[in-house]
Amino acid sequence: MFILAIESSCDESAAAVVRDGCEVLSSVIASQAALHAATGGVVPEIAAREHVGAIIPAVRQALDFANISLAEIDAIAVTAGPGLAGSLLAGVVAANSLARFADLPLIPVQHIHGHVRSIWLDRDPAEIQLPAVTLTASGGHSELVLLRPDGSLTELGATTDDAAGEAFDKAARLLGLGYPGGPAIQEFAKQGRPGAVPTLPRAWGVPGDVARNFDSAELGVRLRAGRIALPHFDFSFSGLKSELRRRVAANPDLSEQTKADLALAFQDAVADVLATKPILAAQKFAAKEIHLAGGVSANLALRARISELAEPLGLPVRWPAKLSYCTDNAAMVGAAAFFDFARKPELRSNRATNIAPNLALDF
Ligand code: KG4
Ligand code: ZN
């Protein structure tokens, strides 16, 4: 089944052609990152206007690169939510028009389903064992979900304040690095010296009286050993960001070396929490694999940390086969649409959808 997919939920105008949920024939991404670098983040109105001009050229390129005509496509897929309303609207309007014009089924896709299925791109689906626990960490999300063998998803945890990527972006701004912050921190942290500055806090989410008894790194050791139970799988990064701000404010003349040390300590703190919670969730829900998705899954410290924790447990860890499948892209939307189409027969007669900026995981 050939699916033409469109993604425009945030600041990437993307289109792709994907066969049977895993074979990527083309994946075109027109990123607005350079445009938003000037403001240090996405301005929704500007993003929406950019999408309007970029979507149809991306669709045309995706068809050209895949060397396929609209007549050979079996269905159109589009991200319906969650995301920025104006951005989503640009993609959904284009998809509705194409589906009506070509008389093709239209499959609305929930954005996190897309990130979850990004693991399937350029892979043999027979390799992947379910249930799996997937961490989607991006500029807008830190979501931990359980993907069952029947394709259904259950949310295990989410961010209570800043998303992981947003935390990277804000930390980078505090340290005077560029946007997007994740790659900038990763690069700068290479010059950091392990242990050179006091450890930054990890928000494990355990009750205050337990947290007060241990240093936050020690608490992680105890959680992983099962000596302290984790009450939930939610994430919080605002305390970490505030502590970094305090450290920077306390010393306005920070040397480049100290900034690099802080970048490393910050990355360690984020990676420690982002790696530990999926490991504990996988054990609790008897998952056969752990998957990392979203822009932050590109982070090498996170990949190394989670691999180190998963290996002794015999749990395979996967992340998207290419960096361009980590950040927002339409190929993952085409993959998710394929699996949703197989599960939901009502989609076969669907020719239009609406935006749903707060679309739930189990819509
Ligand atoms: O998935 P994505 O493109 O967009 C959203 O859906 O939000 O993720 C972008 C986010 C940005 O916050 C960026 O700083 C972060 O992913 N990111 C990284 C890395 N590459 C991108 N964070 C940490 N390390 C990286 N190497
Ligand atoms: Zn995303």
Side-chain angles (χ1 to χ4, degrees):
M1 180 181 189
F2 292 99
I3 294 182
L4 169 64
I6 295 175
E7 153 67 40
S8 70
S9 62
C10 187
D11 62 341
E12 256 87 38
S13 315
V17 178
V18 182
R19 184 181 193 179
D20 294 344
C22 55
E23 189 187 336
V24 181
L25 278 76
S26 64
S27 178
V28 175
I29 304 170
S31 174
Q32 303 174 7
L35 186 73
H36 300 298
T39 41
V42 178
V43 178
E45 179 61 25
I46 295 178
R49 287 184 204 190
E50 281 293 306
H51 283 305
V52 171
I55 294 278
I56 292 299
V59 167
R60 185 170 297 146
Q61 273 192 332
L63 291 169
D64 283 353
F65 291 165
N67 201 14
I68 199 170
S69 71
L70 198 52
E72 295 165 276
I73 295 289
D74 297 300
I76 310 276
V78 66
T79 305
L84 300 169
S87 292
L88 288 167
L89 196 57
V92 163
V93 165
N96 281 348
S97 309
L98 281 168
R100 290 282 173 98
F101 172 74
D103 196 24
L104 289 173
L106 181 67
I107 311 170
V109 172
Q110 206 269 7
H111 185 77
I112 297 298
H113 287 224
H115 280 297
V116 166
R117 293 295 182 174
S118 67
I119 301 299
W120 270 253
L121 300 173
D122 292 350
R123 285 221 167 90
D124 175 359
E127 275 177 24
I128 303 172
Q129 302 283 309
L130 298 181
V133 162
T134 309
L135 171 72
T136 298
S138 70
H141 309 280
S142 313
E143 311 258 349
L144 198 60
V145 302
L146 181 69
L147 172 61
R148 295 202 175 75
D150 67 0
S152 62
L153 285 174
T154 304
E155 184 172 291
L156 305 177
T159 179
T160 53
D161 41 59
D162 289 353
E166 196 180 355
F168 269 106
D169 294 338
K170 288 179 178 167
R173 209 180 314 168
L174 278 170
L175 295 172
L177 306 173
Y179 173 86
I185 295 231
Q186 177 173 299
E187 193 49 38
F188 199 50
K190 286 184 189 158
Q191 292 153 44
R193 299 162 301 175
V197 293
T199 318
L200 284 167
R202 284 109 166 101
W204 295 112
V206 296
D209 53 333
V210 178
R212 267 190 294 280
N213 288 334
F214 305 101
D215 156 77
S216 66
E218 170 61 20
L219 204 49
V221 173
R222 286 172 181 261
L223 283 165
R224 288 187 290 270
R227 286 155 68 192
I228 294 177
L230 202 58
H232 57 71
F233 292 106
D234 288 339
F235 298 95
S236 163
F237 295 104
S238 66
L240 170 62
K241 184 188 64 189
S242 304
E243 177 60 19
L244 183 66
R245 179 179 295 124
R246 266 194 293 278
R247 300 253 187 118
V248 172
N251 186 352
D253 303 318
L254 283 181
S255 67
E256 287 302 294
Q257 182 60 60
T258 306
K259 280 192 198 167
D261 295 340
L262 282 171
L264 179 62
F266 177 85
Q267 181 173 253
D268 277 351
V270 176
D272 204 16
V273 177
L274 285 182
T276 296
K277 295 204 172 182
I279 295 277
L280 296 176
Q283 290 175 287
K284 177 165 178 181
F285 294 97
K288 294 191 174 143
E289 299 192 355
I290 294 182
H291 298 167
L292 296 180
V296 180
S297 71
N299 188 270
L300 298 176
L302 171 61
R303 290 178 176 185
R305 185 83 181 107
I306 201 160
S307 302
E308 170 194 323
L309 296 177
E311 213 222 39
L313 303 170
L315 275 169
V317 181
R318 297 179 196 273
W319 43 77
K322 288 183 180 169
L323 275 183
S324 59
Y325 302 155
C326 293
T327 48
D328 287 349
N329 65 88
M332 69 183 196
V333 174
F338 173 78
F339 293 104
D340 283 350
F341 196 72
R343 282 197 314 135
K344 299 180 182 173
E346 68 275 17
L347 290 175
R348 287 163 213 279
S349 54
N350 214 28
R351 293 285 183 275
T353 190
N354 218 328
I355 61 163
N358 299 314
L359 190 60
L361 192 70
D362 57 350
F363 78 109

